[in-house]
Amino acid sequence: GPGEEKGRRATHQAAEAGGGSPAPCGVGGADALRLRGLQRQELNQAFAKDASRMVGGHPTWWSVDGQCFLYFSEEHSHWKANAVRTAGGDGVCNVGLGKKKAGRGWAHSGVAGEDPEQALRSGEGWFEVLEGDWEHAEVEVKECVDVFALEFSSKQVVFEERYKCGDESSEEKHRADEAIVFHGWRLGRAGDLRLVLPAMPEAHVDGEVEAAPSLEVVGDAPSAAGATNFLGDPDSVVLRRCARL
């Protein structure tokens, strides 16, 4: 609730206890687009497709820092640009059809045809909200080849949950012994890495550390949709390279 801060840290152990081979890991070029020409500067950047988090029946697209996102508005049949609530936006959980902020955003693409994604990849028909009115925007949309996607599965994860409300605080530890999928994106080979934290399953007490039950498996691997924070937006961390001393 208001005034409550919730933090979580996930520790990845690449090998099973007592040894073993590392968990599978993959790095490759992400399906990404770069927008230019909008008055709201935070939208003039690269967005990577996240097929694990859908709105309007289509994947959302996220800025590498995780602050802004693009989603398909079913009601208007075009793509809208918005942001997470901590960045002043409406939040991804509030903009889908039937939600309280459905179809809202700061800019939108042209009307989609049979292939909605083509409207997102085109610079034609874009509008942006300027001083409360929708104005035509000269937008350039290009494929972005310098965004890299990372995905790996961990054979064991230990979560530490910390709660703080005023002067009171508490800490809990959970352990998931089933494979959990992490995924993230990086802009360039030396840029910041946004890592989406996995959903933490309900846990039961097992000695000093709570052991989580098996996760629901979809196909051959657990779902990589990831956790949400208390505002309903993706729970993620941004990792930055430290300057060498």
Side-chain angles (χ1 to χ4, degrees), residues 114-132:
E114 293 184 3
D115 182 2
E117 199 168 288
Q118 291 303 313
L120 178 61
R121 296 179 182 274
S122 172
E124 300 294 327
W126 281 80
F127 282 78
E128 183 177 12
V129 173
L130 298 175
E131 298 182 354

Side-chain angles (χ1 to χ4, degrees), residues 41-224:
Q41 292 303 310
E42 60 263 43
L43 298 180
N44 294 318
Q45 59 173 314
F47 291 81
K49 180 191 286 188
D50 184 356
S52 72
R53 199 172 296 272
M54 310 281 283
V55 173
H58 296 274
T60 51
W61 296 66
W62 290 83
S63 59
V64 177
D65 62 7
Q67 298 297 292
C68 299
F69 63 90
L70 307 171
Y71 74 96
F72 187 71
S73 172
E74 293 180 272
E75 181 181 0
H76 303 99
S77 192
H78 59 209
W79 294 84
K80 279 274 176 53
N82 211 311
V84 297
R85 292 179 62 186
T86 54
D90 296 306
V92 71
C93 69
N94 296 322
V95 296
L97 188 63
K99 303 293 185 178
K100 59 183 179 181
K101 301 293 180 68
R104 292 189 54 167
W106 298 326
H108 71 75
S109 71
V111 176
E114 293 184 3
D115 182 2
E117 199 168 288
Q118 291 303 313
L120 178 61
R121 296 179 182 274
S122 172
E124 300 294 327
W126 281 80
F127 282 78
E128 183 177 12
V129 173
L130 298 175
E131 298 182 354
D133 295 321
W134 285 102
E135 302 286 350
H136 176 69
E138 296 290 340
V139 176
E140 180 183 67
V141 184
K142 287 188 174 182
E143 299 288 334
C144 186
V145 298
D146 57 348
V147 175
F148 297 91
L150 167 72
E151 182 170 300
F152 63 88
S153 62
S154 173
K155 294 182 179 180
Q156 186 183 80
V157 176
V158 175
F159 298 92
E160 294 181 2
E161 277 195 299
R162 297 174 182 174
Y163 300 86
K164 183 176 181 182
C165 185
D167 295 331
E168 297 183 2
S169 62
S170 64
E171 181 176 316
E172 297 178 0
K173 286 187 178 182
H174 310 273
R175 186 186 73 243
D177 288 323
E178 299 291 332
I180 293 181
V181 175
F182 292 78
H183 66 283
W185 298 270
R186 165 177 276 174
L187 180 60
R189 296 190 178 276
D192 295 345
L193 170 65
R194 175 182 173 238
L195 187 66
V196 179
L197 299 181
M200 185 180 66
E202 294 295 328
H204 59 269
V205 177
D206 178 20
E208 296 182 356
V209 179
E210 294 183 347
S214 298
L215 297 176
E216 178 183 357
V217 175
V218 179
D220 296 327
S223 171

